[in-house]
Amino acid sequence: MRQTTILSALLACTFSSALSAAAQTPSAARGGTLPSEIEISPLAPAENELALANPKITWRVENPFRLFIDPADTVMHRKLAARLSPDERKSPILSAERKLSERMQDGWAAEVVDKTCWNSAQNKYVCPNADEPYAWPKSHTVLAEVTDLPDPGSVTCTWTSVPTKRLTNQDVTAPFSAPCDQAARLEVPYPDGAEIELQIGGRLIARTNAKVTDLFIVGFGDSFASGEGNPDVPVRFSSTRTATYGMTKKGPQRADLMGLPARVGPWSTIGDRAFMKNNARWHDQACHRSLYSHQLRASLQLAIEDPHRAVTYAGFACSGAEVTRGLFLRYKGNEWVPKPPDVSQISAAARLQCGDTDAPLKDLPEAYHINGKVPDLEGTVVLHKCSHKKARKIDLVFLSIGGNDIGFARLLANTILMDQSLLRRLGGWLGQVHGQTEAQSELETLDERMKALNRAFHGVLHVPWRQSDRIILTAYPEMALLGDGRTVCPSGNAGMEIVKDFSLNQARAREGVWVADRLNRKMAASARKHGWRYADAHRNKFIGRGICAGFTEASFSIADDLRLPRNTDGKWVPYNPSKFRAYASRQRWFRTPNDAFLTSNFHVSQSVLQKVLKFQRLRWFQLILASTYSGAFHPTAEGHAAMADALAEQARAVLERYGQGVNVETRFVSDH
């Protein structure tokens, strides 16, 4: 009590002469005539050792990553970033992902996925109980604190937020009083900001201007953008039960279809209702869009690097998408759901830009088929478009596209399907098999597709032509190179014995590497031509971490074991599948078919299977789906984190160029 009395008296005495004029002048009248923050002359140490020289207001956005409803989910990432070592901060997203994987056995996204501003039932971004469109925030909640006060817990601080542009006194936030060691939650209008004022003992102590920078980031693309292979809630397996994918109960069973890992749950038949209820869960189920996506992780990193920044992120990437079927034309995704995407990715972004205002459909057939060179867009392009005056400006466009345009899945099928396999005769797992010659032909048309896409970004989504570098294209990582950077994964079925027909062919894999290199150079050239940024710093980091990285005999860890657990004579070999952890740190940054089966375990319901596969003898096709459509040959969460670091690096350079950057010293800010 005595300390409080002495401090209050000293504060009153010291500040009265310095601030009497400011305290007697209403905030509205002061406007911008005074400094944004008042500095107080120090007390002589002999007068009172408790009083410090210069009380200051610090503030930060409470929930800078607006996709997450609960601020605690963003704070988790911010606190983790603040504790990284200098070496870890060179790759902050990858370093954080590894630490989170040690802490959470099912991955961090499992705790977050149900608390986001994405509504799957409506296929749109909307925050629960919000009175504003997701892309058009009216204000941000900030946490204000005072520093350089002695014994702040014994002093009461009174906080007020005064909008920079206000029409009436009702715009002023009601004063908030609490001990000075507690943060004050204040609403700051967006985009104009507010003045935060602090009083102690009825006198104005400090004032600062609080203006939040809110970045609007939109993500487009294919499975490498969506996060395929990394469900937010992975499948869990029984420690005792096994699954059999036999063709019929009559006659002997095939050994390769027996003794496989089985999901937990009360299901009785693979594909029945109870079985499907325990499917892997995704942020967006139809598109297999995940919170582990490198586009989302880069956006989250940008949000936590600046205490005065918020990020409004909207991802539309969909597994299987192409430039044409996906970005321009409606594409329903790879998984059957009651409510698939109802418009193309570009149209969805345009509608979001418009907020509560209608973004009407526009028939734009002549702009995008590039004189017939992109025939899929000839006479068929109808897109939603928000008027330039009403559309929110996009600060960054994240893009991953091109692989499906040249037949990524068909190339993979050619690489891993044995010559005499039934699947090769049927045409891959769900499509045509083709090799280098066919891919080369489709590579030739990629330039025109990218040109059409560039026109849409500028003409439909209103990215300024002079700011084309706000569009960042991400390179595909190396998938099959060993540590020397030259040798390709050897032939064999390591990592893919889940299906008898799978066996990697080294010669065809070498052709695939050649095609991938051509694709990379083509994408880099397109980015230069259109003025986009190209994020490719991660490619070398994937060397030695490709599809065959791991062990086929004795393994140091389950995560690095390339083998699939099987149950023979009541014993699991080489390990019990219930101990598999999808997000454990591992050497390989790509999902093998075995990994995919144990992570996503994609199956279709019995009714769908009966419609698609009429023959009883093909019911084992569920095994094909579970090992391919579950994200095989796609980056792990660590791989996405490495890609996100490369993407964030390019994004920082763009933001810096346009005055939206952040000082490197404030990039890792801890919570008080």
Side-chain angles (χ1 to χ4, degrees):
M1 180 66 70
R2 176 171 170 76
Q3 287 185 348
T4 303
T5 303
I6 292 174
L7 181 58
S8 298
L10 284 170
L11 288 172
C13 176
T14 305
F15 299 141
S16 59
S17 59
L19 299 175
S20 59
Q24 294 170 11
T25 305
S27 299
R30 286 198 302 271
T33 60
L34 290 179
S36 62
E37 187 173 286
I38 299 176
E39 297 186 358
I40 310 302
S41 300
L43 294 175
E47 294 180 12
N48 195 325
E49 294 182 357
L50 293 174
L52 296 182
N54 189 16
K56 292 182 179 179
I57 296 173
T58 63
W59 63 274
R60 62 177 175 80
V61 181
E62 181 184 44
N63 188 24
F65 194 60
R66 297 185 58 249
L67 179 65
F68 293 170
I69 296 171
D70 186 351
D73 295 327
T74 306
V75 168
M76 172 182 69
H77 290 273
R78 180 169 52 210
K79 285 186 173 181
L80 188 58
R83 292 195 295 268
L84 295 178
S85 68
D87 281 343
E88 290 171 332
R89 290 178 182 181
K90 295 176 183 177
S91 302
I93 306 174
L94 177 58
S95 299
E97 187 59 46
R98 285 172 169 165
K99 291 182 180 297
L100 288 167
S101 70
E102 295 172 0
R103 186 186 308 172
M104 303 174 180
Q105 66 175 15
D106 283 334
W108 62 267
E111 304 295 326
V112 182
V113 67
D114 292 328
K115 299 179 291 180
T116 72
C117 291
W118 171 254
N119 188 312
S120 294
Q122 300 179 41
N123 272 312
K124 64 186 294 187
Y125 285 93
V126 56
C127 294
N129 304 318
D131 62 351
E132 61 192 15
Y134 173 68
W136 288 88
K138 297 177 182 177
S139 66
H140 297 84
T141 301
V142 304
L143 300 177
E145 298 175 277
V146 60
T147 62
D148 297 340
L149 273 183
D151 195 18
S154 64
V155 184
T156 297
C157 283
T158 299
W159 302 86
T160 306
S161 173
V162 182
T164 301
K165 291 183 179 180
R166 65 186 179 111
L167 301 176
T168 68
N169 287 332
Q170 279 69 37
D171 293 330
V172 180
T173 302
F176 170 84
S177 296
C180 292
D181 62 351
Q182 295 182 16
R185 295 181 77 251
L186 303 168
E187 286 299 311
V188 172
Y190 179 78
D192 297 313
E195 274 192 330
I196 297 176
E197 297 181 346
L198 169 62
Q199 294 186 10
I200 297 178
R203 294 188 178 276
L204 181 65
I205 301 305
R207 185 196 314 129
T208 191
N209 183 55
K211 188 173 183 179
V212 177
T213 299
D214 191 293
L215 301 177
F216 186 29
I217 303 177
V218 181
F220 298 103
D222 53 20
S223 53
F224 276 72
S226 72
E228 176 67 275
N230 300 282
D232 300 286
V233 182
V235 168
R236 297 298 301 274
F237 288 90
S238 170
S239 61
T240 57
R241 191 176 185 181
T242 63
T244 298
Y245 290 82
M247 294 178 287
T248 175
K249 292 183 179 180
K250 297 179 181 179
Q253 297 289 317
R254 279 174 47 183
D256 62 309
L257 300 178
M258 299 175 63
L260 291 164
R263 292 186 191 179
V264 297
W267 58 273
S268 59
T269 305
I270 292 173
D272 66 18
R273 183 173 297 180
F275 185 94
M276 300 303 291
K277 185 178 180 180
N278 287 315
N279 273 352
R281 289 174 48 218
W282 300 82
H283 185 226
D284 180 76
Q285 201 76 23
C287 289
H288 283 192
R289 194 161 62 245
S290 165
L291 300 184
Y292 293 104
S293 157
H294 73 272
Q295 295 182 346
L296 185 146
R297 294 293 276 113
S299 301
L300 174 57
Q301 181 65 28
L302 294 175
I304 64 177
E305 288 181 350
D306 185 344
H308 299 167
R309 172 189 286 167
V311 166
T312 299
Y313 170 76
F316 298 100
C318 198
S319 185
E322 304 175 13
V323 169
T324 52
R325 191 179 63 117
L327 271 73
F328 276 101
L329 308 175
R330 183 192 180 194
Y331 168 64
K332 296 182 179 181
N334 271 343
E335 185 164 337
W336 294 272
V337 298
K339 185 75 172 178
D342 57 347
V343 295
S344 71
Q345 293 182 36
I346 292 173
S347 282
R351 292 197 303 193
L352 186 65
Q353 275 185 299
C354 251
D356 285 337
T357 306
D358 182 48
L361 283 168
K362 299 286 186 180
D363 188 359
L364 306 167
E366 297 304 319
Y368 302 111
H369 63 71
I370 316 297
N371 296 321
K373 295 178 181 178
V374 188
D376 289 347
L377 301 182
E378 194 166 8
T380 60
V381 180
V382 180
L383 296 172
H384 287 270
K385 181 178 180 180
C386 188
S387 73
H388 189 277
K389 292 182 179 180
K390 297 178 181 178
R392 180 174 178 185
K393 178 184 176 182
I394 298 175
D395 294 290
L396 292 168
V397 171
F398 291 165
L399 176 65
S400 172
I401 202 71
N404 292 326
D405 295 82
I406 70 162
F408 172 73
R410 298 189 290 276
L411 282 167
L412 282 174
N414 183 57
T415 301
I416 71 167
L417 292 178
M418 293 188 295
D419 288 339
Q420 303 306 315
S421 72
L422 173 62
L423 280 175
R424 179 174 284 275
R425 295 199 301 273
L426 290 174
W429 31 90
L430 279 180
Q432 177 187 4
V433 177
H434 76 201
Q436 179 178 325
T437 302
E438 293 87 351
Q440 176 64 27
S441 175
E442 294 185 349
L443 269 168
E444 298 303 321
T445 67
L446 190 60
D447 280 340
E448 283 71 28
R449 291 186 173 215
M450 292 296 193
K451 184 176 181 179
L453 190 55
N454 187 54
R455 288 182 176 180
F457 286 150
H458 295 298
V460 178
L461 300 181
H462 308 297
V463 176
W465 285 94
R466 294 184 178 180
Q467 297 181 11
S468 294
D469 57 343
R470 290 187 182 273
I471 303 165
I472 308 177
L473 178 64
T474 302
Y476 294 103
E478 298 285 1
M479 185 186 301
L481 288 180
L482 301 182
D484 61 6
R486 299 186 303 276
T487 309
V488 176
C489 288
S491 296
N493 68 343
M496 55 185 72
E497 73 261 34
I498 182 68
V499 175
K500 189 177 180 180
D501 288 7
F502 289 174
S503 183
L504 185 140
N505 181 295
Q506 187 180 47
R508 289 176 183 149
R510 194 175 292 112
E511 288 184 5
V513 170
W514 181 87
V515 172
D517 183 65
R518 286 293 309 274
L519 174 61
N520 178 60
R521 284 184 275 139
K522 179 77 72 172
M523 290 169 63
S526 288
R528 287 192 300 271
K529 179 178 180 180
H530 300 303
W532 304 346
R533 287 261 178 173
Y534 192 54
D536 62 351
H538 56 280
R539 279 175 56 82
N540 287 338
K541 295 181 180 179
F542 272 80
I543 294 175
R545 293 183 173 276
I547 199 71
C548 57
F551 300 89
T552 55
E553 294 182 7
S555 175
F556 294 109
S557 69
I558 289 175
D560 282 318
D561 203 318
L562 283 163
R563 295 169 293 177
L564 180 77
R566 285 185 182 270
N567 192 296
T568 305
D569 297 328
K571 182 180 179 180
W572 287 106
V573 178
Y575 60 86
N576 192 308
S578 66
K579 297 185 181 298
F580 179 83
R581 296 291 174 259
Y583 297 110
S585 182
R586 47 176 49 87
Q587 176 66 22
R588 64 183 170 278
W589 286 354
F590 272 94
R591 300 283 188 202
T592 67
N594 292 353
D595 295 333
F597 179 88
L598 292 168
T599 300
S600 299
N601 204 244
F602 176 75
H603 289 69
V604 296
S605 67
Q606 291 177 340
S607 60
V608 171
L609 188 66
Q610 290 166 359
K611 291 178 182 178
V612 176
L613 303 173
K614 308 266 185 204
F615 303 101
Q616 179 79 10
R617 65 186 182 87
L618 288 180
R619 288 197 173 178
W620 58 271
F621 203 80
Q622 288 274 30
L623 208 54
I624 307 297
L625 296 175
S627 56
T628 56
Y629 274 62
S630 291
F633 311 105
H634 287 80
T636 64
E638 284 181 288
H640 272 281
M643 296 170 70
D645 277 320
L647 178 56
E649 181 181 357
Q650 292 292 333
R652 291 186 198 106
V654 173
L655 295 173
E656 185 69 29
R657 180 186 178 194
Y658 296 110
Q660 297 169 291
V662 58
N663 192 306
V664 69
E665 283 77 15
T666 66
R667 185 171 294 169
F668 301 95
V669 179
S670 178
D671 293 301
H672 298 290

